[in-house]
Amino acid sequence: MLQLSTSKAPQRDLRQFLEEVYQGRHLQAFCAGQTIPMNPQDIWVVCRGVVQLSTLYPNGDEALLGLACSSMPFGLPLSLIYPYQAIAMSDVDLMCMTMAEVQQSPDLTNEIFLHLNRRLRQAEAMLAMAGCRRVEDRLRQLLLLLQMEIGSPCSEGTRLSVRLTHQHLASAIGTTRVTVTRLLGKLKDESWLKLDSGRHIVLLQ
C-alpha cells in the first residue's frame, strides 16, 4: 500500500499574521453545512474549522478536491476547476481578501505561498491515493491523510476533528456510500478504527 510521508510542511499561523496586518477587519462566520460564496477576485483564509472543496460532474456526482484547514487559503483565483464550491464541514471563521491585496504585499504573498504549499502536498497525496486499485487501500490512505490534516491526539489514538459522513468519504475515493459503510465495518472489526460518542472517527494507531 502507498505510504504517506510523516514530515509536514511548515505550518506558521497565517491567521495571526492577518490579524496583525488587518486589525479591525471582521472574520466571517459560517455554520457547518453552509455554502461559502465564491467571487472571482476573492481569496478566503481559514482561521478556524475545516472547509470542503469540491466540484460537480455533469451527472451530478460530487468529487472532493481537498480540505482547507487552519491557515489554508482557497478561492476562485487559486483554481482552474469549474464549478468550484466550498462548504463548511464544521463551524468556520474565515477572512476574505482580494487578489489585489495579496499581490500588493510581498509579506502576505509569502505567507499565502507557504500555506498553498500545504494544499499542494495534500493534492498530490490525493492524486497518488486515486491510483490505488483497491478501494480499501484508497480508504485507508484517505483516513491517514485526514489524520495528518485534521487529527488530534486522544487516549486511544488520533481523533478526526470533523465528523465525516460515509458519503463524504465515498466522494473522496470514487466509490459508493454502501461500499464505504462495509469497509468501515471491516476496519472496525480489525481494530484499525472506531467511532467515539460524538460519531467522530478515531484511528487506533
Side-chain angles (χ1 to χ4, degrees), residues 52 64 89 142 163-173:
Q52 172 187 298
L64 181 68
M89 291 190 71
L142 175 65
R163 189 167 67 181
L164 299 161
T165 67
H166 293 190
Q167 188 58 56
H168 282 140
L169 299 173
S171 297
I173 62 174

Side-chain angles (χ1 to χ4, degrees), residues 29-37 50-52 86-92:
F30 296 88
C31 298
Q34 268 191 287
T35 298
I36 296 158
V50 179
V51 174
Q52 172 187 298
I87 298 174
M89 291 190 71
S90 63
D91 292 346
V92 298

Side-chain angles (χ1 to χ4, degrees), residues 5-161:
S5 170
T6 56
S7 63
K8 295 186 178 183
Q11 295 193 19
R12 291 164 57 182
D13 192 350
L14 179 55
R15 175 183 62 180
Q16 182 179 353
F17 174 83
L18 291 173
E19 289 176 347
E20 291 172 357
V21 173
Y22 297 109
Q23 293 183 16
R25 180 176 294 192
H26 295 295
L27 300 179
Q28 298 189 44
F30 296 88
C31 298
Q34 268 191 287
T35 298
I36 296 158
M38 306 287 274
N39 297 311
Q41 294 302 317
D42 288 347
I43 293 175
W44 293 99
V45 174
V46 179
C47 295
R48 179 180 67 91
V50 179
V51 174
Q52 172 187 298
L53 307 175
S54 60
T55 190
L56 295 174
Y57 293 120
N59 64 1
D61 289 345
E62 184 179 45
L64 181 68
L65 299 174
L67 299 177
C69 309
S70 179
S71 294
M72 285 188 180
F74 68 92
L76 294 181
L78 305 178
S79 178
L80 292 175
I81 302 297
Y82 180 84
Y84 184 79
Q85 62 181 16
I87 298 174
M89 291 190 71
S90 63
D91 292 346
V92 298
D93 291 325
L94 307 178
M95 183 177 286
C96 185
M97 66 196 69
T98 66
M99 192 65 182
E101 287 178 302
V102 175
Q103 292 171 336
Q104 290 167 8
S105 169
D107 289 339
L108 182 54
T109 298
N110 184 59
E111 292 292 329
I112 292 289
F113 171 78
L114 288 174
H115 293 282
L116 274 177
N117 184 40
R118 293 174 57 201
R119 289 276 316 280
L120 174 62
R121 288 161 63 98
Q122 182 192 104
E124 288 188 339
M126 293 184 69
L127 282 171
M129 175 187 70
C132 295
R133 292 186 178 182
R134 296 177 65 236
V135 178
E136 181 179 339
D137 288 344
R138 296 203 298 272
L139 179 59
R140 287 179 188 266
Q141 291 301 122
L142 175 65
L143 292 172
L144 290 173
L145 176 61
L146 292 172
Q147 180 183 36
M148 294 174 61
E149 294 287 8
I150 59 173
S152 300
C154 65
S155 60
E156 296 178 285
T158 306
R159 176 181 181 269
L160 302 188
S161 60

